[in-house]
Amino acid sequence: MENQRNISGFILLGLSDDKNIQMFCFVLFSFCFVALLVGNVLILISIFCSPLTQQPMYYFLCHLSFMDICYTSSVTPRLIDGLLEGTKTISYGYCMLQVFTLHFFGTIEVFIITAMAFDRYVVICKPLHYMLIMNRTNCHLLVFAALVGGAAHSFPQLCMTIRLPFCDSIEIDHYFCDIFPLLRIACTDTYITGILVVANSGIIALVTFIVLFISYAIILFHLRNHSAEGRRKALSTCGSHITVVILFFGPAISSYLRPPVTFPEDKVMALFYTIIAPMFNPLIYTLRNAEMKNAMRKVWCRALFSLKA
């Protein structure tokens, strides 16, 4: 613990030392971050200013959009600043904050995606009981359960990280602070801690992915009894959700459900679940959703008409 107190900060090695690659990444991820912010803010405003806010699926979508903003904002601004200014140092406190916020908001997002899958299951497999099961009280409870789940996952992660002692090595081979890269530079035996991290992060991601896979398999099985129009509409909505699940869970499972070691490919995999997947969420949920596109068109046309008047 004495060694830990002597550590005032770390050095993030980032994505690359090549200046040309750094400039390319700065432009690319700046665009991704702006697109994510604009897209999710448009979704939030469009839903809140339309009757869609009364529907459970769009209620969850609002929370997912907000979590996307919080989740990516815990990593991307620091990455962009490092690429532009060349600043690689990060304070110990900010590093621990990144560990906590990344896992807190990321886990909430996982559980909200699961709640959205449950909503689709009920509307397709139990249509007569949909309004009873997915009433607003139950929707609030599901979001609250997601918040509790996020806290239950992230606080143990933070406690394990804070207890790690660090000696002379303070270079983190990553572009943000996460527990696996920190385990690599800790000056103690981290085998047990690594196993606990895998059990905490990896198992949660895998079990959630299996639950989602089974739920969508059941949904697709039930769709055989629907009309062609009903199948088309349901498949369009579920297709959006499945795309989000694959983009988010694939890289996350690959990163956390394995022995607690780090590889050069980890940075690329992390880009998918911290920046790329959240950036595509607004596009996936709007371009493939007729109700969402109509709501956005009405809200923003009304807004433009009001400005002209």
Side-chain angles (χ1 to χ4, degrees):
M1 293 298 292
E2 185 63 31
N3 287 331
Q4 178 181 326
R5 293 191 192 98
N6 292 334
I7 296 294
S8 60
F10 300 95
I11 298 174
L12 294 172
L13 298 183
L15 296 172
S16 174
D17 290 327
D18 189 295
K19 294 295 183 182
N20 293 326
I21 294 178
Q22 287 182 0
M23 186 53 60
F24 171 77
C25 290
F26 167 75
V27 174
L28 175 63
F29 297 128
S30 295
F31 170 78
C32 291
F33 188 56
V34 171
L36 180 144
L37 292 177
V38 172
N40 282 295
V41 168
L42 286 176
I43 286 178
L44 288 169
I45 295 174
S46 299
I47 293 177
F48 277 119
C49 296
S50 71
L52 291 181
T53 189
Q54 301 301 320
Q55 298 185 33
M57 185 178 74
Y58 297 103
Y59 171 82
F60 293 130
L61 181 56
C62 278
H63 286 86
L64 181 64
S65 294
F66 182 69
M67 286 303 120
D68 274 342
I69 294 173
C70 296
Y71 175 63
T72 306
S73 296
S74 66
V75 172
T76 310
R78 178 63 185 76
L79 169 63
I80 293 172
D81 180 66
L83 291 169
L84 179 63
E85 302 293 338
T87 305
K88 294 188 174 183
T89 58
I90 182 172
S91 68
Y92 179 85
Y94 190 20
C95 183
M96 295 302 108
L97 179 64
Q98 267 197 340
V99 173
F100 174 77
T101 54
L102 183 76
H103 287 272
F104 179 66
F105 293 121
T107 306
I108 294 174
E109 186 163 337
V110 165
F111 289 136
I112 289 177
I113 291 173
T114 306
M116 295 176 74
F118 177 70
D119 173 75
R120 292 301 87 193
Y121 166 79
V122 175
V123 76
I124 293 172
C125 302
K126 309 261 184 200
L128 298 179
H129 302 90
Y130 179 72
M131 296 309 298
L132 178 64
I133 296 173
M134 298 304 297
N135 59 60
R136 188 46 58 98
T137 300
N138 288 339
C139 290
H140 289 327
L141 288 175
L142 286 172
V143 171
F144 178 73
L147 293 170
V148 172
H153 165 73
S154 55
F155 275 110
Q157 297 281 92
L158 179 63
C159 291
M160 287 188 288
T161 309
I162 288 177
R163 291 174 61 85
L164 292 174
F166 301 100
C167 302
D168 297 329
S169 178
I170 59 172
E171 291 186 344
I172 301 175
D173 189 16
H174 217 304
Y175 64 89
F176 65 90
C177 284
D178 201 4
I179 191 162
F180 275 173
L182 287 169
L183 287 177
R184 187 177 182 181
I185 65 172
C187 53
T188 187
D189 183 5
T190 60
Y191 177 78
I192 299 299
T193 304
I195 295 299
L196 291 174
V197 172
V198 171
N200 192 354
S201 298
I203 297 300
I204 286 178
L206 179 62
V207 170
T208 307
F209 178 77
I210 292 174
V211 170
L212 291 170
F213 179 82
I214 293 174
S215 67
Y216 283 117
I218 295 173
I219 288 172
L220 293 175
F221 178 77
H222 276 78
L223 284 177
R224 76 191 196 285
N225 298 321
H226 286 232
S227 64
E229 178 63 21
R231 284 197 301 269
R232 186 197 63 77
K233 186 176 180 180
L235 285 172
S236 177
T237 302
C238 292
S240 301
H241 297 184
I242 292 171
T243 306
V244 170
V245 168
I246 293 173
L247 282 174
F248 186 88
F249 282 91
I253 292 173
S254 300
S255 297
Y256 290 104
L257 193 64
R258 65 167 198 226
V261 294
T262 56
F263 299 105
E265 297 79 11
D266 289 347
K267 299 177 187 180
V268 178
M269 299 297 289
L271 289 173
F272 276 92
Y273 62 80
T274 58
I275 301 175
I276 296 175
M279 180 194 69
F280 277 114
N281 281 356
L283 295 176
I284 290 169
Y285 282 111
T286 54
L287 295 181
R288 300 193 61 184
N289 189 309
E291 286 184 322
M292 192 70 222
K293 286 190 289 187
N294 290 334
M296 293 182 70
R297 191 180 300 113
K298 291 178 181 178
V299 168
W300 295 105
C301 286
R302 188 164 61 241
L304 290 174
F305 180 78
S306 300
L307 288 174
K308 290 180 180 180

